[in-house]
């Protein structure tokens, strides 16, 4: 077990290396052949591992190889709101957070692997649908976070609704011709509806 501030042990390093090898192999195969034409067995073979090992690390299957982040989305949302600077509203912090992620950030600001994976997700309906599902799974934690920002002990229906809108906004905006302008407009309207946040 890794404790805060300690270096990961050999077992954790090996698990991380296996996960990375599988994810890298999947990305390369998906880009080369197309997502639908690649099998789990081919990914495992390319990563020099067994299919049972692949499923042990990625039980959700092919989509998770590109989009599984071990809780990174939820953690990042929480940090974006809790670590916002004085005078910055929760909605402003969330707007900035999404604007800095693909597909809204300037490609030059993103690592190459992230850019390639993002393009693959946007061009592949099954991956795009899975990405939406992963974001929507953050709704309850985000509603609790918004309640905290509003000084409430628990989120009410309005904050659950806001959390849902916030998490759906990037998916909607990403499908518009000017993605960034659509994201900006969506958050402008959310601020009008929830001025206290």
């Amino acid at each position: 077990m890794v404790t805060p501030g300690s270096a990961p042990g050999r077992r954790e390093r090996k698990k991380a290396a296996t996960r990375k090898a599988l994810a890298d192999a999947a990305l390369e195969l998906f880009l080369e052949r197309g997502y639908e034409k690649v099998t789990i067995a081919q990914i495992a073979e390319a990563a020099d591992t067994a299919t049972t090992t692949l499923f042990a690390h990625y039980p959700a299957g092919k989509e998770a190889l590109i989009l599984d982040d071990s809780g990174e989305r939820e953690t990042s949302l929480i940090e974006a709101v809790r670590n916002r600077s004085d005078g910055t509203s929760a909605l402003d912090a969330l707007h900035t957070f999404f604007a800095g992620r693909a597909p809204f950030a300037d490609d030059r600001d993103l690592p190459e692997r992230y850019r390639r994976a993002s393009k693959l997700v946007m061009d592949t309906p099954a991956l795009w649908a899975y990405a939406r599902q992963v974001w929507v799974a953050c709704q309850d934690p985000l509603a609790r976070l918004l309640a905290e920002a509003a000084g409430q002990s628990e989120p009410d229906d309005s904050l659950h609704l806001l959390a849902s809108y916030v998490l759906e906004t990037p998916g909607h905006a990403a499908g518009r011709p000017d993605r960034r302008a659509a994201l900006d407009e969506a958050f402008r309207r959310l601020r009008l509806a929830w001025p206290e946040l």
Side-chain angles (χ1 to χ4, degrees), residues 28-189:
E28 293 307 318
L29 288 171
F30 293 159
L31 290 171
E32 178 186 320
R33 302 178 190 175
Y35 173 80
E36 299 295 341
K37 295 180 182 175
V38 177
T39 67
I40 290 291
Q42 290 168 335
I43 296 166
E45 183 180 344
D48 194 25
T49 190
T51 56
T52 53
T53 302
L54 185 151
F55 280 114
H57 288 279
Y58 294 97
K62 281 171 54 173
E63 296 91 346
L65 284 154
I66 299 299
L67 292 160
D68 180 53
D69 64 4
S70 301
E72 182 270 337
R73 284 170 180 79
E74 183 177 330
T75 300
S76 295
L77 281 168
I78 291 169
E79 288 177 355
V81 175
R82 285 198 178 144
N83 297 339
R84 68 191 188 277
S85 58
D86 290 341
T88 301
S89 71
L91 283 174
D92 285 345
L94 289 165
H95 184 185
T96 300
F97 168 75
F98 284 114
R101 295 179 70 99
F104 306 106
D106 186 329
D107 278 351
R108 294 169 295 187
D109 297 335
L110 300 171
E112 181 185 358
R113 186 189 190 287
Y114 194 79
R115 287 197 311 267
R116 295 172 76 207
S118 176
K119 182 173 180 353
L120 175 68
V121 169
M122 294 191 65
D123 293 344
T124 309
L127 288 172
W128 185 247
Y130 185 81
R132 180 182 173 275
Q133 177 185 333
V134 172
W135 276 114
V136 170
C138 297
Q139 182 176 328
D140 285 342
L142 180 56
R144 288 191 298 274
L145 187 62
L146 292 169
E148 180 184 302
Q152 299 177 14
S153 59
E154 291 293 326
D156 57 18
D157 287 344
S158 173
L159 293 180
H160 279 286
L161 184 62
L162 175 56
S164 176
Y165 285 153
V166 165
L167 295 171
E168 292 283 1
T169 291
H172 166 75
R176 309 302 299 155
D178 186 338
R179 298 172 188 163
R180 185 57 188 268
L183 183 74
D184 294 347
E185 176 62 12
F187 272 95
R188 185 185 73 79
R189 291 180 178 271

